[in-house]
């Protein structure tokens, strides 16, 4: 293979989403750019400067935007991404198109262009209570159409693969490969030993545990807040730092914090910069991730890569992400969460060995290995050899 082989990517989330689907897209694109292929990143807009510039400037990486030189008609972005993009892919001699965020253009299977889609989770089917009715219907329709259209499907965990086969039983299991999500190198323990000045001022001298992720009901961070109240287990000087986007659930969490006098111990941060996040991981004693359901749980990998022990919840794929040396508790048991946190704080017996074993476990999620598996899948689908 060489750089004459052009692979197209749905890069909307790469330039628009700060975490989750965006992190997956940016990390995989950067890792794949080291291979002898040309990457064309299709996105309806330039998105956010701070996210777009996280994609490395390489000669074999190019952004592609809607282009209608012979018409004054303003093509809606959503229509271009889901329909009209196919003519652009043909014009650009795309050998294979990869939908990085669970979607493919309508009719790509008829276009003659092979396609891969990465499916991250099916939470809208597994836990519909977290979604509005109309959103559930749209997501479900897109999922069923996409798995029919795709030449091949990447599931980012065994849990997601099981869900795909459960909700789309007509899909041939041979069309699904489990290829895990990789962690950005900025979270490695050596890389994040950055200056304490990167931390908010009120956190520079306190001991804290960390949670990262959208602050929504499914993520269940209130369990970690309640664990702080178990005073006979956790020290009174231990703080909790919650990093994520605000939702209506955030208001519920804040009301609980005020009602229970935890204002001085719980810190909720929005809009954390790309420089601050690794520093927040580096300054923490432990990481808590009490989510009720995930397709994978990349913040667990980021935390372990940063040298932190982790406490998470049972019930989805988090055991798959964190491995046997992460501690897992039921998602409605603050007492068990408090006990587990106590077991991973500094000076707790076995903490250092737990960290070492966990970091060995997550080597399977390193970028080169993940990108290598995706690259090999491209070769297989295109019947090419090195």
């Amino acid at each position: 293979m060489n750089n004459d082989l052009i692979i197209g990517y749905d890069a909307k989330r790469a330039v628009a989403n700060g975490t989750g689907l965006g992190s997956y897209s940016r990390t995989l694109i950067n890792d794949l750019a080291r291979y002898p292929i040309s990457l064309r990143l299709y996105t309806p807009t330039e998105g956010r400067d701070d996210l777009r510039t996280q994609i490395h400037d390489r000669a074999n990486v190019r952004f592609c935007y809607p282009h209608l030189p012979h018409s004054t008609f303003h093509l809606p972005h959503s229509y271009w991404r889901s329909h009209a993009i196919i003519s652009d892919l043909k014009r650009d001699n795309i050998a294979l198109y990869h939908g990085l965020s669970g979607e493919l253009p309508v009719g790509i299977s008829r276009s003659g262009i092979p396609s891969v889609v990465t499916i991250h989770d099916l939470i809208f089917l597994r836990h519909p209570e977290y979604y509005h009715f109309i959103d559930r219907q749209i997501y479900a329709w897109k999922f069923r159409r996409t798995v029919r259209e795709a030449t091949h499907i990447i599931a980012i965990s065994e849990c997601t693969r099981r869900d795909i086969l459960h909700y789309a039983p007509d899909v041939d299991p041979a069309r699904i490969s489990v290829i895990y999500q990789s962690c950005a190198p900025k979270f490695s323990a050596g890389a994040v030993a950055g200056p304490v000045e990167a931390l908010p001022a009120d956190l520079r001298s306190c001991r804290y545990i960390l949670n990262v992720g959208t602050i929504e009901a499914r993520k269940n961070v209130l369990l970690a807040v309640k664990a702080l109240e178990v005073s006979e287990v956790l020290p009174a000087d231990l703080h909790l730092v919650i990093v994520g986007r605000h939702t209506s659930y955030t208001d519920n969490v804040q009301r609980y914090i005020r009602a229970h006098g935890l204002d001085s111990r719980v810190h909720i941060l929005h809009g954390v910069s790309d420089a601050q996040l690794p520093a927040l991981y580096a300054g923490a004693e432990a990481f808590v991730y009490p989510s009720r359901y995930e397709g994978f749980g990349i913040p667990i990998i980021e935390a372990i890569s940063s040298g932190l022990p982790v406490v998470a919840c049972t019930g989805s794929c988090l055991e798959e992400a964190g491995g046997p040396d992460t501690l897992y508790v039921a998602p409605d048991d603050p007492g068990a969460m408090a006990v587990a946190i106590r077991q991973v704080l500094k000076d707790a017996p076995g903490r250092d060995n737990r960290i070492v074993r966990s970091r060995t476990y997550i080597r399977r999620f390193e970028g080169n290995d993940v990108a290598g598996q995706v690259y090999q899948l491209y070769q297989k689908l295109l019947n090419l050899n090195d």
Side-chain angles (χ1 to χ4, degrees), residues 3-317:
N3 284 18
D4 293 333
L5 184 67
I6 308 172
I7 309 295
Y9 295 87
D10 175 8
K12 175 186 175 181
R13 307 292 181 185
V15 300
N17 289 49
T19 58
L21 300 179
S23 294
Y24 171 83
S25 299
R26 290 186 295 274
T27 302
L28 184 59
I29 288 167
N30 284 334
D31 291 337
L32 283 169
R34 301 186 181 100
Y35 287 83
I37 55 176
S38 290
L39 291 77
R40 297 292 180 265
L41 311 183
Y42 291 87
T43 172
T45 69
E46 292 186 349
R48 290 167 44 183
D49 290 345
D50 63 317
L51 299 180
R52 190 180 63 258
T53 55
Q54 289 179 34
I55 295 174
H56 301 159
D57 185 11
R58 291 177 177 265
N60 62 332
V61 178
R62 182 190 305 169
F63 283 96
C64 301
Y65 305 102
H67 181 56
L68 296 172
H70 303 299
S71 172
T72 58
F73 173 67
H74 176 66
L75 190 67
H77 293 156
S78 59
Y79 183 82
W80 174 78
R81 182 168 172 255
S82 63
H83 291 77
I85 191 175
I86 290 178
S87 62
D88 291 358
L89 303 180
K90 290 180 176 179
R91 178 200 65 207
D92 297 340
N93 296 315
I94 297 301
L96 180 146
Y97 185 75
H98 189 161
L100 295 171
S101 55
E103 296 183 52
L104 289 172
V106 175
I108 195 166
S109 58
R110 296 192 302 272
S111 73
I113 301 172
S115 62
V116 174
V117 64
T118 297
I119 297 198
H120 298 258
D121 62 66
L122 297 180
I123 299 170
F124 54 89
L125 294 173
R126 182 63 70 182
H127 284 283
E129 66 272 20
Y130 295 126
Y131 295 83
H132 295 298
F133 175 79
I134 296 298
D135 289 339
R136 294 200 309 264
Q137 303 308 307
I138 293 172
Y139 297 155
W141 176 81
K142 285 184 176 181
F143 160 67
R144 294 188 173 98
R145 180 191 59 76
T146 292
V147 296
R148 288 195 303 269
E149 292 257 15
T151 307
H152 202 84
I153 301 164
I154 292 175
I156 64 166
S157 68
E158 290 288 353
C159 178
T160 295
R161 181 180 185 275
R162 289 193 298 269
D163 280 354
I164 294 169
L165 293 173
H166 176 78
Y167 290 106
D170 293 338
V171 171
D172 182 354
R175 289 176 53 219
I176 306 175
S177 296
V178 174
I179 301 178
Y180 290 113
Q181 183 173 354
S182 60
C183 176
K186 66 184 177 182
F187 294 105
S188 65
V192 300
V196 70
E197 289 76 14
L199 294 174
D202 57 345
L203 296 179
R204 294 174 189 173
S205 59
C206 74
R207 59 186 305 205
Y208 64 88
I209 56 176
L210 179 67
N211 170 266
V212 176
T214 301
I215 309 170
E216 59 184 343
R218 174 174 57 85
K219 302 287 188 179
N220 193 35
V221 75
L222 190 55
L223 180 70
V225 175
K226 292 178 178 179
L228 286 186
E229 297 182 280
V230 187
S231 57
E232 66 273 18
V233 176
L234 293 179
D237 66 341
L238 184 68
H239 295 235
L240 169 64
V241 176
I242 302 169
V243 177
R245 179 172 57 83
H246 182 280
T247 70
S248 59
Y249 174 78
T250 314
D251 298 330
N252 296 337
V253 174
Q254 290 173 323
R255 282 192 290 269
Y256 186 95
I257 290 168
R258 289 191 296 268
H260 291 256
L262 295 169
D263 306 69
S264 63
R265 295 180 63 194
V266 181
H267 312 258
I268 299 179
L269 307 180
H270 308 301
V272 170
S273 71
D274 193 47
Q276 281 183 316
L277 186 56
L280 282 166
Y281 276 110
E285 282 196 36
F287 187 78
V288 290
Y289 202 63
S291 180
R292 294 182 181 277
Y293 203 87
E294 295 290 329
F296 183 57
I298 193 62
I300 289 179
I301 310 302
E302 293 172 354
I304 294 172
S305 184
S306 301
L308 297 182
V310 175
V311 177
C313 281
T314 58
S316 61
C317 70

